[in-house]
Structures are given as structure tokens and as C-alpha cells.
Amino acid sequence: MERIKASVLLHGLVPDSMMFGEAEVSLVTTDSREVRPGCIFVAFPGERFDGHDFAAKALEEGALCVVVNHPVEGVPAEKAVLCPDSYHAMMVLGANYRSQFHPKVVGVTGSVGKTTTKQMCYAAIEGFGNTIKTEGNQNNELGLPRTMFRIGRDTEYAVVEMGMSHRGEIERLSRCARPDVGIITCIGVSHIGNLGSQENICKAKLEICAGLPEGAPLVLNGDDPFLRKAKLPEHIRPVWFSLGDESADVCALSIQQEADGMSFVLEDHEEGTFLVKIPAMGRHNVANALAAYCAATRLGLDARKVVRGIGNFEQTGMRQKVVHSKGIDVIEDCYNANPDSMKAALAMFKEYPCKRRFALLGDMLELGDLSREAHEEVGREAAESGLDTLITYGEQAKRIAVVAAAKGLTTLHANTYREAADALLKLMQPGDALLVKASRGMALEKVLELFYKEQP
């Protein structure tokens, strides 16, 4: 974070923007352990710890002021910035800081593929200048301002991921980040329990347009029926990408899955035709690559160099990471799961070159009333995916196993991590491949820890 006048940073949160004089701030933190002289400490109430309990101590350690939801004993009124919502305070601070700098910003949202597309955008752009990106899962009303604070005078590009679970959140994130180009990867069913329908999810994702300037490109998945029929704001310029539809602005043809990723021919109505290879498997990752390509080139960046950058993309965390372990290929995809990403992973795995295919699938969380139907649909998909054996873990995943077994697939439901690991150790042999996928809360990496440790 660059030094910035407190009067600028706190604009909109305090009645008198000059109440702290000419003081400058070089840190905004929500962690009392990070407090240093001249910083701003934002207190968040929590289940385990309440930041308000540390507000007075933050001032003792030199904080310029503290942002609190209510008056706090030991905190003088002249040092307290009252704001009933700490998330709102962070968003205001982040927006005020962002307004002082002028990097080109890519905003990424969508039901599936946000993080991978963000990574691909970063790979496409970083060769053109100093580039930052959202780290980890910092894609909400606390994490996005933290990303804004990482912008500096030498930052030329920023790739910002935007997540949501309710209407209005993407609009607030977009107004804070003020992207120059937006991406919507697709419209799925994540958080449908909160939003009620995919039509409402589509409207929520389109809130990214609120922060886009007049004439800004909005990169859209032309294969998504909800985006295709959506009413788009007049001030944005849609850029459509597609897997196979040559009428789209950018499309992928001759898509091939290879042992180490995907290859395809990219046709761009503006820039020409390119052969692209990406180190990520599955047609869904081709779509993610097209989205990243569109965003980078519509910022005016050289298409050939963008294609080379995407070819150097690196996957993060446990997202389709391929681990070669004692002759067995393990595709670790344990970071998250929803019906669309489950289907995409199974489709990819069906084409994966190996002797036999095994899958360990766990619960998909936060699906509300759609949960039973969604897990049963994954069971039908699994039965058609060329699996030798399906192992499931989790109460909802039982439905996957029941439906898959009814269609003739050999299944086993594990009640513990130990049971799942033992089944894999007993069944799998060198030359086999294993797909592991579930929502993050299922922690299937614990099964893999046992499996890797005890492989013969």
C-alpha cells in the first residue's frame, strides 16, 4: 500500500474529511497483530474474536484511528470512525484508495471457473507490465479491498476476482474495483438457495456492469443460454466467446484433449487465427482460456503474446492438479464443486488416457432445495463417464452412488476418510487414474494424505 492522506482514504466515512489533518496512512488492517504507527484498524465482530476488544490496544500501539461499529470503552471519540457495517467501511476505504491509481483492471465473475480464469488472465497479461491479482479466495467484500490496497504507483494491470452469494454484492465489488473490462464465465446454480433461480443468478452476475465505464468490453460466454437471452446494459460492449460457434467474436475449433492439457484453434474476428495449447484439461478450461484471451486483447494487448502467456498458465491449489504417485495419476480437484463443475470434470476425465478410471466424489454444498436433484444428476453423469469404480463420501453424495449404481456402475460409499482411503489402496494399481472432487468443506485432501502415505 502506498502512503495516502487519511482525509482521502476516509472520505465518506467521517463528517469532516480533515479531522486527521495532513496525516498519511500506509496500512489498513483488520488484524490487531499487524497494527503499526499511523495505520487504520478496522474492527470486525466475529464468532471467536471481536475486533472491538482490540481497538483500544491498537490506538496504544500507534494506530491513527480505529473503525468501529459502536462506541468502545477506552477509545476516544476523536479517534473512532463509527460505521455500523465493517464490510461497508472496508469497501469505502478500498474504493477511495483505488481512485488514486490508474492501472488497467480486469474484473472476473461467474458461477464456475472464476479462479482459473483469473489465473489465466494473469498469465496472459503479466508479460506486458507490473500485474497484481486476487490472491487465494479474497474475492468478497473483505478480500477485494485488500487487493485494492496492493495497487501501487508502478501497478499497470490488476486481475480481480468477484464472488457473491446474494444480490447487490457484485455491484458493490465492481464499483469499488472499477474494472476496465469485465468477464462473466457462465451462469450455474451456485447459491441458488439464496437467489431462487438461474435467471436471478444471471442478473446478479451482470451487476459487474455497474463499475464498467462507457464502452467497456464485457466478455461473455456465448454458449450459456442465460447470458445469451439476458438484457445487457447499453453502456457496455459485449464480446462473445464460444466453443464451436464461428459467429462468436472469438471461438475455439478442433479442440483436442492431450495427456498434459488441451489444444485448439482460436479464431478471433479481429486478430486472426492461432493454435493454442494450455496446461489444463477439459473443454471447460478451453472456455476459461477464451475468456482470458478476450479480456487481454480487448485491453489492446498483442494477441500473439497473449496466447503465449496463456500457454504458461499455472493452476492453483487443488484445482485439477495432476499428481503422479507411484504409477497412479491423481487429479486433485478438491477446492470446490457444483453441478456444472462436476459434470465438466467427469467429461474431462472420460477422455483421460489411462488403464482404468476411479473417482472419489463428495458433497456439493450450498445448493438448497436443488441439492438432491443435483447429486442424482451427477450420479447419472458418473455412470456414463467410463469409470471402473465410483467411491462417494458425504451424506448428499450418497445420492450420487445410489443413482450411479442403479445404472450399473460399481460404487462404494465411505463413511470416513479412512474407509475411502482403504478402498482406493485396495482397488487401484499402477496405470490407473483417480479423479477427486467435492466442495471445499468436505476436505477430501485428507483422504489423499492417507492414500499417498500408504501407497505400496
Side-chain angles (χ1 to χ4, degrees):
M1 182 176 178
E2 302 280 356
R3 298 189 70 83
I4 181 173
K5 286 186 176 181
S7 58
V8 173
L9 198 57
L10 291 165
H11 181 72
L13 288 178
V14 294
D16 177 7
S17 63
M18 291 304 295
M19 67 182 290
F20 295 105
E22 294 295 314
E24 292 187 331
V25 177
S26 60
L27 174 68
V28 174
T29 184
T30 61
D31 187 339
S32 61
R33 296 167 296 183
E34 295 178 350
V35 169
R36 62 177 187 239
C39 77
I40 292 177
F41 174 67
V42 183
F44 272 79
E47 294 182 4
R48 295 179 58 199
F49 300 102
D50 188 341
H52 294 81
D53 296 338
F54 302 92
K57 188 172 186 295
L59 292 174
E60 291 174 10
E61 294 180 356
L64 177 70
C65 64
V66 293
V67 179
V68 290
N69 300 164
H70 50 75
V72 176
E73 185 177 351
V75 174
E78 65 273 15
K79 290 286 189 178
V81 176
L82 289 175
C83 181
D85 185 342
S86 302
Y87 289 98
H88 173 71
M90 283 291 287
M91 291 289 283
V92 171
L93 293 167
N96 288 341
Y97 182 84
R98 160 74 178 93
S99 70
Q100 303 304 298
F101 303 92
H102 305 285
K104 293 292 185 181
V105 176
V106 178
V108 183
T109 191
S111 296
V112 182
K114 290 188 296 296
T115 300
T116 299
T117 302
K118 173 202 71 179
Q119 290 295 118
M120 287 185 172
C121 284
Y122 180 79
I125 292 171
E126 65 169 333
F128 294 91
N130 189 300
T131 308
I132 68 165
K133 60 180 170 67
T134 300
E135 297 294 348
N137 60 352
Q138 299 284 297
N139 64 4
N140 59 15
E141 292 176 297
L142 175 58
L144 185 133
R146 288 173 170 165
T147 301
M148 295 298 99
F149 296 141
R150 290 172 44 225
I151 294 173
R153 292 186 183 90
D154 62 346
T155 305
E156 297 173 72
Y157 302 96
V159 184
V160 181
E161 182 179 335
M162 301 178 186
M164 53 136 263
S165 56
H166 296 85
R167 287 288 297 271
E169 292 175 359
I170 294 292
E171 177 175 351
R172 294 191 289 273
L173 295 172
S174 186
R175 290 189 184 279
C176 179
R178 292 170 44 207
D180 297 276
V181 56
I183 296 174
I184 303 179
T185 60
C186 64
I187 304 302
V189 296
S190 299
H191 309 298
I192 199 167
N194 295 332
L195 290 152
S197 68
Q198 283 182 275
E199 286 82 3
N200 287 341
I201 292 172
C202 186
K203 290 176 183 177
K205 298 299 183 183
L206 281 166
E207 291 172 9
I208 194 173
C209 298
L212 291 170
E214 187 73 30
L218 176 64
V219 178
L220 297 162
N221 187 339
D223 300 327
D224 187 290
F226 294 94
L227 288 172
R228 269 297 183 190
K229 65 185 179 183
K231 180 175 173 55
L232 304 176
E234 293 184 0
H235 76 281
I236 59 95
R237 174 168 61 92
V239 179
W240 295 97
F241 67 88
S242 169
L243 302 185
D245 181 358
E246 295 182 60
S247 68
D249 297 288
V250 175
C251 73
L253 302 173
S254 303
I255 301 170
Q256 299 288 330
Q257 181 160 307
E258 301 175 355
D260 56 351
M262 305 294 291
S263 67
F264 58 96
V265 174
L266 185 153
E267 288 197 353
D268 181 348
H269 287 186
E270 291 187 7
E271 300 291 342
T273 302
F274 307 92
L275 176 62
V276 183
K277 293 187 177 183
I278 56 172
M281 293 178 296
R283 292 174 63 88
H284 59 295
N285 277 319
V286 174
N288 295 334
L290 292 183
Y293 169 88
C294 289
T297 54
R298 271 49 181 184
L299 281 177
L301 302 181
D302 179 75
R304 291 188 182 280
K305 193 172 178 181
V306 166
V307 167
R308 288 198 299 271
I310 292 174
N312 294 323
F313 151 79
E314 293 182 1
Q315 191 62 277
T316 61
M318 292 173 287
R319 293 178 172 87
Q320 285 199 357
K321 175 184 176 184
V322 180
V323 176
H324 305 288
S325 180
K326 297 183 179 178
I328 293 174
D329 289 356
V330 180
I331 301 172
E332 297 182 356
D333 204 356
C334 319
Y335 188 80
N336 210 347
N338 55 52
D340 300 292
S341 66
M342 277 283 201
K343 292 174 188 177
L346 287 166
M348 171 279 298
F349 196 47
K350 187 176 183 179
E351 304 300 322
Y352 190 82
C354 60
K355 186 171 69 176
R356 297 182 302 166
R357 296 178 185 86
F358 294 78
L360 169 61
L361 305 181
D363 291 1
M364 301 177 289
L365 305 177
E366 299 182 10
L367 293 178
D369 294 339
L370 188 67
S371 183
R372 182 187 176 105
E373 177 186 342
H375 284 86
E376 291 179 350
E377 178 60 26
V378 170
R380 287 187 283 272
E381 293 282 338
E384 303 296 328
S385 297
L387 298 178
D388 182 274
T389 302
L390 168 67
I391 298 169
T392 55
Y393 172 78
E395 283 301 309
Q396 297 300 315
K398 282 182 180 178
R399 300 305 310 167
I400 299 176
V402 168
V403 171
K407 288 188 166 290
L409 179 61
T410 301
T411 66
L412 185 155
H413 184 75
N415 293 305
T416 65
Y417 296 133
R418 180 74 264 171
E419 285 183 20
D422 285 345
L424 294 173
L425 290 165
K426 178 181 178 181
L427 294 169
M428 298 194 72
Q429 302 170 1
D432 294 341
L434 170 66
L435 170 67
V436 183
K437 189 165 181 64
S439 284
R440 185 71 195 91
M442 302 308 292
L444 287 189
E445 69 274 11
K446 293 182 179 179
V447 177
L448 292 177
E449 288 172 9
L450 295 169
F451 178 74
Y452 293 142
K453 182 180 179 181
E454 300 175 23
Q455 267 186 286

